[in-house]
Amino acid sequence: ELKVEQNPLFLSMQEGKNYTIYCNYSTTSDRLYWYRQDPGKSLESLFVLLSNGAVKQEGRLMASLDTKARLSTLHITAAVHDLSATYFCAVVPPQGAQKLVFGQGTRLTINP
Amino acid sequence: DVKVTQSSRYLVKRTGEKVFLECVQDMDHENMFWYRQDPGLGLRLIYFSYDVKMKEKGDIPEGYSVSREKKERFSLILESASTNQTSMYLCASSSGQERPEAFFGQGTRLTVV
């Protein structure tokens, strides 16, 4: 059974600082997704990572995938308050239906 | 833009009621999903469907059923609502092709009293 774990689950940081959210998963997969959720809102797709070594960047967020280590990272550079949200990673199992298995989410709070 | 629309943002129902949550997508996606979101537990898959009239159980199907009579519509049914089904319910759809990125609806916050 595929399990996805994120850490940390809660992160409070100051504006201008850098930090990394980690996503580990338990079985082989070459498809990993990052989503953002604002309070009371739905999930917004951020990144789709499809192969080992894939790196995607959008503004102050950068995501990478290491399929051998079964690890993805979401790196935040020079954080700003607008990035405060909950971030989820999700993985597609290696075979069978196209469902996504989610991590628990990381609640990120960025303080001015 | 992909649009996934859930019929209600907020619902309050009584214990024992039969509850229908409706979801419609406009991108001709093969796959549709119902997730439940609870604090500290992330998103858990209840049911999914990869074609009309086809369905598969997810991780927590107990107490729920689904219906997919048309490709664009996927309904979640709580046969007899209970207080432990109070939660945020999220519907999603994906194309089922090489990049099955899922697009989510706005969510339905269900309270069972």
Side-chain angles (χ1 to χ4, degrees):
Chain A
E1 180 187 350
L2 174 60
K3 292 196 182 300
V4 183
E5 292 190 354
Q6 290 180 233
N7 73 84
L9 300 184
F10 298 93
L11 178 56
S12 182
M13 53 193 291
Q14 296 293 318
E15 278 190 329
K17 300 290 187 183
N18 304 332
Y19 211 82
T20 301
I21 299 170
Y22 298 89
C23 175
N24 291 273
Y25 52 97
S26 61
T27 63
T28 302
S29 177
D30 57 2
R31 304 176 189 178
L32 190 137
Y33 304 84
W34 284 97
Y35 287 87
R36 168 182 173 147
Q37 186 180 37
D38 293 300
K41 301 286 183 65
S42 190
L43 274 72
E44 172 192 354
S45 177
L46 292 175
F47 299 110
V48 180
L49 303 170
L50 296 176
S51 59
N52 188 41
V55 177
K56 295 274 184 79
Q57 182 162 4
E58 179 76 30
R60 300 174 188 274
L61 299 178
M62 183 173 72
S64 65
L65 178 62
D66 181 343
T67 58
K68 294 178 182 176
R70 298 177 188 166
L71 171 68
S72 179
T73 61
L74 180 66
H75 187 73
I76 303 143
T77 302
V80 293
H81 179 68
D82 286 353
L83 291 178
S84 296
T86 299
Y87 293 86
F88 290 93
C89 64
V91 178
V92 176
Q95 49 196 227
Q98 304 289 319
K99 63 181 182 179
L100 272 68
V101 179
F102 282 83
Q104 312 96 307
T106 298
R107 182 180 292 180
L108 174 63
T109 302
I110 299 169
N111 303 303
Chain B
D1 271 0
V2 174
K3 195 163 186 181
V4 180
T5 304
Q6 295 181 229
S7 53
S8 304
R9 285 297 308 274
Y10 301 95
L11 275 179
V12 180
K13 296 292 182 181
R14 295 195 180 276
T15 301
E17 276 193 77
K18 190 169 186 176
V19 181
F20 293 86
L21 302 183
E22 306 284 347
C23 176
V24 177
Q25 51 96 3
D26 65 358
M27 283 300 291
D28 201 37
H29 283 170
E30 292 86 357
N31 300 325
M32 295 189 75
F33 308 86
W34 277 105
Y35 287 89
R36 157 175 186 161
Q37 184 176 19
D38 299 289
L41 297 177
L43 277 77
R44 294 179 291 167
L45 183 64
I46 304 171
Y47 267 97
F48 64 100
S49 168
Y50 50 90
D51 202 351
V52 175
K53 296 190 186 295
M54 306 301 288
K55 61 185 179 185
E56 284 199 25
K57 294 180 180 179
D59 300 318
I60 51 165
E62 296 79 17
Y64 303 94
S65 63
V66 290
S67 172
R68 195 168 180 199
E69 296 296 318
K70 294 184 177 182
K71 191 174 186 180
E72 67 271 18
R73 187 180 296 270
F74 192 36
S75 303
L76 180 69
I77 304 155
L78 287 66
E79 297 290 342
S80 177
S82 64
T83 55
N84 63 12
Q85 292 178 309
T86 292
S87 186
M88 170 71 90
Y89 291 87
L90 291 163
C91 174
S93 72
S94 71
S95 66
Q97 294 172 1
E98 198 54 37
R99 294 181 54 180
E101 181 180 1
F103 296 88
F104 283 82
Q106 76 275 30
T108 296
R109 184 163 295 281
L110 172 66
T111 302
V112 182
V113 297

